[in-house]
């Protein structure tokens, strides 16, 4: 359980958010012309937060995470990739990924990167999709910006110095590299940052470098102020880098680990610079996101999570479609929740061992049937509010 109940926000900060009907981070010195396309935004309607699509329709994001074709390129199954898709990323996205995601009731890509190695000295994800690949997919999507590597699963790099000019230079490069090609794409929903940042916790693989901030220092007023200052610098520098090149899209921020401590100083630092509080949660996303929305009044997003079903084969973990359906039903009761992204993986690789399609390109139809029905119920629920 997080420590969200230990301290409260300043009343003025909460009231200023609750009084507003729309939330967008302020662009830095860039004005939108009448000729530019529309983009996804957030609005509060009749007491509920919604994503609003460029065509002004209500949108609850139903995303699948981890879509990587390398699982069809093992020596034993590369013939599928070559014969069925002609060694073409474009054909695979158009002929396999998009029609299946739509058939399963998903309406967006949560994020594309997939775990490809997992070890104490080498834990990596696959690359990001390019602008062209997003166009071939032709669906709304979210994109992660690699501003830093202090994920809870990251074991290789030292912590960055947010106050260093070099860090600001790096963030500016990341924004030029990633945001410039995507800045005018109306299908982009928004940008994620860190996957489970280790502000005050660690995991076994990164105990050697410790958390970004010593949690013992939170016992003093001085320590809490220092954490607030550090977190503010992180969110300010990254926000400004994005807004130099993209004034339009939502900033979905860090995907916090909902089952680790998250000091309120971090959230207070984030709120001027992000549009949504995003969470990874593999245990209890319904109650955790409810608590966070009640504490902050901000929109919340279940950005990553799943429950696996073990099998007799240790190399195969199935997605629990029934659990996913229960989570979606609970999240619909949260007036702050604007989306749910399943950590299901499109293809099962040998590292994550979980995916909706196996390495022979055969879908898990039993579990997909529960996922499809749950997604369709959510889409019908959204339509009833239009």
């Amino acid at each position: 359980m997080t420590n969200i109940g230990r301290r409260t926000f300043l009343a003025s900060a909460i009231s200023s958010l609750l009084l507003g009907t729309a939330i967008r981070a302020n662009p830095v010195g860039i004005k939108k012309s009448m000729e530019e396309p529309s983009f996804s935004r957030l609005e509060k309607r009749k007491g509920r937060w919604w994503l609003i699509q460029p065509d002004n329709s209500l949108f609850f994001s139903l995303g699948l995470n981890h879509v990587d074709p390398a699982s069809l390129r093992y020596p034993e199954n590369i013939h599928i990739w070559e014969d069925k898709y002609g060694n073409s990323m474009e054909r695979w996205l158009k002929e396999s990924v998009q029609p299946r995601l739509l058939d399963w009731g998903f309406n967006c890509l949560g994020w594309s990167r997939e775990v490809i190695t997992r070890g104490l000295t080498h834990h990596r994800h696959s690359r990001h999709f390019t602008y062209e690949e997003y166009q071939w997919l032709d669906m709304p999507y979210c994109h992660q910006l690699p501003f830093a590597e202090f994920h809870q699963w990251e074991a290789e790099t030292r912590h960055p110095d947010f106050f260093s000019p070099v860090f600001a230079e790096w963030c500016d490069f990341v924004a030029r590299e990633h945001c410039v090609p995507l800045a005018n794409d109306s299908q982009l929903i928004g940008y994620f940052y860190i996957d489970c940042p280790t502000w005050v916790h660690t995991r076994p693989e990164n105990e050697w470098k410790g958390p970004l901030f010593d949690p013992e220092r939170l016992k003093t007023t001085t320590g809490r102020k220092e954490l607030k200052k550090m977190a503010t610098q992180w969110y300010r520098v990254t926000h400004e880098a994005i807004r130099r090149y993209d004034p339009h899209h939502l900033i979905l921020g860090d995907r916090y680990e909902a089952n680790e401590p998250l000091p309120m100083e971090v959230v207070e630092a984030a709120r001027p610079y992000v549009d949504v509080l995003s969470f990874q949660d593999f245990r209890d996303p319904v109650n955790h996101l409810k608590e966070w929305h009640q504490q902050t009044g901000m929109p919340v997003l279940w950005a990553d999570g799943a429950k696996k079903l073990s099998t007799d084969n240790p190399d195969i973990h199935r997605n629990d479609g029934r659990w996913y359906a229960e989570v979606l039903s609970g999240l619909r009761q949260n007036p702050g929740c604007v989306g749910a992204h399943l950590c299901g993986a499109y293809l099962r690789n040998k590292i994550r061992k979980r995916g909706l399609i196996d390495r022979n390109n055969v879908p898990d139809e039993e579990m997909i049937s529960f996922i499809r029905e749950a997604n369709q119920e959510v889409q019908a629920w959204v339509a009833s509010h239009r």
Side-chain angles (χ1 to χ4, degrees):
M1 184 65 181
T2 58
N3 61 350
I4 60 177
R6 297 179 185 175
R7 289 176 295 278
T8 59
F9 281 107
L10 295 174
S12 60
I14 296 179
S15 60
S16 65
L17 176 66
L18 295 179
L19 288 173
T21 59
I23 178 171
R24 287 298 303 270
N26 292 325
V28 180
I30 306 178
K31 295 183 179 180
K32 182 179 176 181
S33 71
M34 295 299 292
E35 291 75 23
E36 291 175 345
S38 298
F39 302 92
S40 295
R41 64 186 190 278
L42 284 155
E43 288 186 8
K44 195 174 188 182
R45 297 184 179 179
K46 297 181 180 180
R48 181 179 188 88
W49 283 107
W50 291 100
L51 282 164
I52 307 296
Q53 288 187 303
D55 64 0
N56 290 318
S57 62
L58 299 181
F59 188 74
F60 186 95
S61 68
L62 295 166
L64 182 66
N65 296 342
H66 314 302
V67 179
D68 175 53
S71 298
L72 287 179
R73 299 171 184 164
Y74 290 111
E76 64 269 25
N77 68 353
I78 194 172
H79 64 279
I80 298 174
W81 174 254
E82 294 176 337
D83 297 342
K84 188 173 182 63
Y85 303 112
N87 195 24
S88 168
M89 184 73 168
E90 180 178 5
R91 284 186 56 186
W92 180 69
L93 289 170
K94 290 182 176 180
E95 298 173 14
S96 177
V97 179
Q98 195 231 43
R100 278 175 165 160
L101 291 186
L102 293 176
D103 175 63
W104 300 342
F106 293 105
N107 58 20
C108 71
L109 172 66
W111 70 312
S112 62
R113 302 180 71 192
E114 169 66 303
V115 175
I116 52 175
T117 59
R118 178 183 281 153
L120 290 177
T121 59
H122 199 281
H123 190 148
R124 302 281 179 88
H125 282 64
S126 59
R127 64 173 178 81
H128 303 82
F129 275 8
T130 65
Y131 170 80
E132 290 76 16
E133 288 164 343
Y134 286 129
Q135 304 314 298
W136 296 334
L137 179 64
D138 194 24
M139 292 180 66
Y141 64 94
C142 303
H143 185 81
Q144 185 197 24
L145 298 174
F147 285 127
E149 299 291 337
F150 54 99
H151 317 277
Q152 68 181 16
W153 45 262
E154 205 285 320
E156 300 178 55
T157 59
R158 297 193 303 175
H159 293 319
D161 178 0
F162 300 148
F163 295 91
S164 167
V166 176
F167 177 70
E169 291 171 2
W170 167 251
C171 290
D172 190 78
F173 167 77
V174 169
R176 296 196 312 272
E177 177 74 10
H178 290 258
C179 299
V180 170
L182 307 180
N184 290 312
D185 189 357
S186 60
Q187 295 222 71
L188 170 62
I189 297 171
Y191 299 108
F192 286 119
Y193 290 177
I194 293 294
D195 186 38
C196 304
T198 54
W199 285 103
V200 293
H201 77 280
T202 59
R203 290 290 175 90
E205 55 265 44
N206 51 39
E207 286 181 347
W208 67 270
K209 59 181 175 180
L212 276 168
F213 193 85
D214 183 356
E216 289 296 311
R217 297 171 65 189
L218 294 175
K219 296 177 180 179
T220 68
T221 300
T222 299
R224 292 193 293 271
K225 288 181 178 178
E226 289 178 359
L227 175 58
K228 176 73 175 293
K229 181 179 179 181
M230 173 190 286
T232 298
Q233 181 74 358
W234 159 252
Y235 291 111
R236 182 185 64 79
V237 172
T238 51
H239 174 273
E240 290 182 355
I242 293 171
R243 291 307 185 215
R244 287 188 198 103
Y245 305 101
D246 184 348
H248 310 299
H249 290 102
L250 294 168
I251 296 181
L252 308 175
D254 296 326
R255 289 190 290 260
Y256 303 113
E257 172 54 68
N259 296 284
E260 295 286 357
L262 176 59
M264 290 302 290
E265 286 78 12
V266 173
V267 178
E268 291 170 355
R271 63 182 308 150
Y273 301 107
V274 304
D275 299 310
V276 175
L277 295 179
S278 302
F279 296 91
Q280 170 179 287
D281 196 336
F282 287 78
R283 296 179 186 174
D284 192 4
V286 173
N287 285 319
H288 288 159
L289 267 67
K290 177 182 178 182
E291 292 168 356
W292 278 109
H293 173 62
Q294 289 176 341
Q295 285 288 319
T296 66
M298 289 187 69
V300 292
L301 172 67
W302 184 41
D304 201 42
K307 183 177 180 180
K308 66 182 180 181
L309 293 173
S310 297
T311 67
D312 294 336
N313 186 338
D315 292 326
I316 297 176
H317 297 151
R318 301 175 71 194
N319 287 283
D320 189 338
R322 295 181 181 89
W323 181 84
Y324 172 76
E326 293 172 0
V327 169
L328 281 193
S329 178
L331 292 177
R332 282 160 50 184
Q333 309 309 311
N334 182 347
C337 187
V338 297
H341 298 174
L342 177 64
C343 182
Y346 184 71
L347 287 165
R348 180 185 303 134
N349 68 15
K350 296 180 180 180
I351 305 303
R352 186 184 295 277
K353 303 178 182 180
R354 181 173 67 243
L356 295 179
I357 302 174
D358 68 16
R359 290 192 295 274
N360 292 317
N361 209 34
V362 178
D364 183 348
E365 293 293 354
E366 180 186 7
M367 290 299 111
I368 288 172
S369 68
F370 296 111
I371 293 170
R372 180 191 291 112
E373 182 178 0
N375 285 339
Q376 290 174 346
E377 287 181 0
V378 170
Q379 297 207 34
W381 167 75
V382 173
S384 71
H385 286 77
R386 290 172 180 160

